[in-house]
Amino acid sequence: MEGPSSRLSEARDGAVQPAGGRDASGEVESDSSRDVKTHFRVCRFIMETGVKLGMRSVPVATACVLYHRFFERVNISSYEPYLVAMSCVYLAGKVEEQHIRTRDIINVSHRYFNSGSAPLECDKEFWDLRDSVVQCELLILRQLNFHVSFEHPHKYLLHYLLSVKSLVNRHAWSRTPVAETSWALLRDCYHGAMCIRHAPQHIAIATLYLALNSYGVELPVGEKEWWQVLCEDVTRADIDAVISDLLQLYDMEAKCI
Amino acid sequence: MDRDLLRQCVTYHGESLFNKLKCEQTENPDFQALVSDLCKASYESTLVEQFIARKADILFCPSWKTTAVKEEEHDEEEAAEPYAVMPPLELFMEVSYDERRAMLYRDLERGDIVVGRINNIREYGFFLTLLSTAGGLKRDIEDLDLSALCHIREIPSTGSHDDPLSYYQIGDFIRAGVKDIDRYQEKITVSLHQASVSRSLEHIKLGVIAREELPVHYSRSLSAASDSTETYEPILRRCHGYHNPSVVDYLLERVGISDTHPPSLMRGLQSKLFQEDDFASAIRKKQSTSWALKCVRAGVDHFKHGRHVEAMNEYNKALEIDTNNVEALVARGALYANKGSIMKAISDFELALESSPDHRNAKKYLCQTLVERGKQLEEQEKLVTAEGLYRRALSLDDTNPEAQDALHKITDTIQVMASLHSVYFRLEISTTIVKQAF
């Protein structure tokens, strides 16, 4: 399927990899590790596009989840991933009640692949792109059996933040950026498939845990730890697994982008 | 870099983090300045330390902290709460008595609000058994055996000469402001004067309250304490506020995190890397102008070939795509003037000049159209208004000969009429005087 990245650009390196290529370090990669990198880059595209469209965190998260779930069972070479990503953004806007116009999605994407270019004219190319996005949306819906509504960690994280905040001295809390850091960590999770492999409560707890850890915040200890109390079935191993997946994503950024 | 925050982190994690920080942040001059200040302690996992070390320049940057201290709103009814107000966490964690007492004395401050029940009344004041905090802090303190004194002079007088204490009874629920805390002797004194409460909590009324007015987190913690199957998550899901569709947006605003310029720890997603021109609204604006101009060009072409209806359609289309597009307004105004719809033409030119006051054609055409309008007004004998229009026309384009000419003529006419009027007026007066004399 010829996609927007080839029509929108000739020159963006790494947008579409040739088969059996070599990565930045010159080693021959396996298909699956190359796919993981492509997915990372496409999710980065979704997140950047989300910011430029003024999308809130939850719709962006939905877009990434739609993307990951779509490619769970579908081969990446069958569909143009950037087109799928654009349609995921469009569909997520509808699902999360923050409607985004296709015109804006196309404009932002076009400029992403053609940095500094003039906006598209209202011509055949533009309308063809729009048709592609809308048709791909239907494809995604069918691939996901129309299950497009997801529970996200964001609500949990915000309530957990408030609960944990009241355990700590207010002055210590106000000078420690735990809220920003945990929110940033949560958003960054969506670069990889880890966001669909763990329960939302577990992701919320793990990002909060890592944020508190990063600043050396000490919380009081009772019969139970704070994280055991927030979600009954989470274990230390679950938290470590989420953190480990997330840290791998940061490593991947260095390799991919 | 924030020195205190960095020291807190290194103390917590220990020497290995410190070494990694030194390694990863060698090029950061801010960090080098602080190296001698930092000390070492216990141990933590390597991966996490690696992460902290790599991202330290973001994590400890003073501008990373965007949240501001926002005080809680109070007295939300349960049915109207915008988010789930949960019982204090230390209740579920079963933190020890001693630790909770120590935490309270560490964190309670003057100006906070507490809720208690009167357990004893003396002639110099009454004593409260503290049940809960209500503003500023959210703590579970009922079983901590805390007692607070409210001295009689801290009770506002009711105006009558009765003893103010007679108004209160043992068992009453009281909401009071913390006046003083003696941490060493573990004594708390409270006051019912509104002034004792901190600025952000001023709107909360002190004094006797009903059972229904007890803080929501307190009443929820009572039901949670009595039933051990009530753990955090079921309570959270049951809260009405949890299901508010805009709970995420509300809490983000409360906490102070921006969702439009969101924080990230990925190097490529830092806010400062985003350029205004790449945002959807900026591109759309440029694109609309471009699309509108295409229509205007088509319209001008129609106009030159005498196809006025098609030209008007193109101009209207252009204005639908890009409201207040200057070229479209000027072109449409010219077409209106050409057809004789003077007022519509003037309105379009004025609108164009609002956003582009120096647009040459807009000024030129408006000048011409104003002169025409002035001539219409002269015929209706509205001379002064017409003169105003000619002046305005000249201010737009002082080289226009018609405008100069029209203005001179009308100024003369008005002067003549004015002197005629004054003669007539004097005649009138003298006639009246003469009449009166008789």
Side-chain angles (χ1 to χ4, degrees), chain A residues 3-17:
Chain A
S5 58
S6 42
R7 271 188 271 184
L8 290 171
S9 132
E10 308 304 323
R12 184 158 184 106
D13 287 328
V16 179
Q17 291 275 24

Side-chain angles (χ1 to χ4, degrees), chain B residues 3 38 50 79 86 106 130 168 179 203 213 217 239 255 329 362 380 390-391 394 410:
Chain B
R3 175 207 310 253
L38 300 173
Q50 180 85 287
M86 293 297 289
R106 178 192 72 195
L130 293 186
Y168 301 97
K179 183 164 183 301
H203 58 281
E213 293 171 275
H217 64 85
C239 285
V255 168
L329 283 170
Q380 296 169 27
Y390 293 142
R391 283 195 193 282
L394 263 185
I410 201 171

Side-chain angles (χ1 to χ4, degrees), chain B residues 57-107:
Chain B
D57 55 310
I58 303 177
L59 289 172
F60 297 100
C61 177
S63 61
W64 177 243
K65 175 136 195 84
T66 57
T67 66
V69 176
K70 267 213 191 117
E71 288 305 331
E72 294 198 24
E73 265 147 48
H74 193 68
D75 285 350
E76 307 282 2
E77 286 172 18
E78 281 196 47
E81 63 179 10
Y83 68 99
V85 178
M86 293 297 289
L89 203 57
E90 66 266 19
L91 167 74
F92 301 100
M93 288 163 66
E94 295 172 39
V95 177
S96 73
Y97 175 93
D98 291 322
E99 176 136 19
R100 282 186 291 124
R101 259 184 100 94
M103 275 166 61
L104 184 78
Y105 277 108
R106 178 192 72 195
D107 298 334

Side-chain angles (χ1 to χ4, degrees), chain A residues 19-226:
Chain A
R22 291 173 182 272
D23 75 356
S25 66
E27 290 167 13
V28 175
E29 312 171 78
S30 68
D31 281 346
S32 81
S33 90
R34 208 187 52 240
D35 288 350
V36 166
K37 284 194 186 158
T38 307
H39 289 314
F40 184 93
R41 290 193 189 100
V42 179
C43 288
R44 169 57 56 90
F45 162 76
I46 294 179
M47 309 223 24
E48 266 194 56
T49 304
V51 172
K52 294 171 189 167
L53 288 168
M55 276 176 97
R56 298 188 296 260
S57 294
V58 170
V60 172
T62 300
C64 291
V65 170
L66 288 169
Y67 176 83
H68 288 299
R69 288 218 179 270
F70 181 82
F71 280 108
E72 246 186 319
R73 278 176 295 270
V74 153
N75 195 325
I76 197 175
S77 54
S78 323
Y79 300 100
E80 162 57 58
Y82 285 94
L83 177 60
V84 173
M86 286 163 75
S87 300
C88 286
V89 167
Y90 181 54
L91 181 51
K94 290 187 189 173
V95 169
E96 301 295 347
E97 299 295 337
Q98 188 183 10
H99 296 259
I100 313 276
R101 313 274 288 274
T102 47
R103 179 176 164 192
D104 291 322
I105 299 178
I106 291 172
N107 282 342
V108 169
S109 309
H110 179 260
R111 205 170 157 99
Y112 182 87
F113 292 110
N114 303 278
S115 176
S117 59
L120 285 171
E121 288 303 321
C122 188
D123 55 11
K124 182 169 185 307
E125 183 186 348
F126 181 86
W127 291 108
D128 283 348
L129 271 171
R130 191 177 179 278
D131 285 344
S132 302
V133 170
V134 170
Q135 281 168 29
C136 193
E137 183 200 13
L138 185 55
L139 192 67
I140 297 170
L141 281 167
R142 286 159 79 178
Q143 177 64 28
L144 299 184
N145 287 322
F146 293 81
H147 290 148
V148 291
S149 180
F150 308 106
E151 196 185 26
H152 287 303
H154 302 70
K155 256 205 284 201
Y156 288 110
L157 178 60
L158 288 168
H159 284 95
Y160 295 166
L161 270 170
L162 288 180
S163 288
V164 165
K165 171 181 169 180
S166 55
L167 287 176
V168 174
N169 175 281
R170 74 193 83 182
H171 302 296
W173 183 265
S174 69
R175 65 153 205 265
T176 315
V178 174
E180 295 86 334
T181 305
S182 55
W183 194 254
L185 290 168
L186 176 56
R187 284 183 59 103
D188 293 339
C189 284
Y190 286 88
H191 282 82
M194 63 164 287
C195 57
I196 54 175
R197 297 212 210 296
H198 300 284
Q201 296 92 320
H202 295 192
I203 298 181
I205 291 183
T207 51
L208 183 51
Y209 185 97
L210 182 54
L212 290 167
N213 216 316
S214 301
Y215 294 105
V217 175
E218 303 219 28
L219 294 177
V221 183
E223 292 298 307
K224 307 192 189 124
E225 297 262 14
W226 62 271

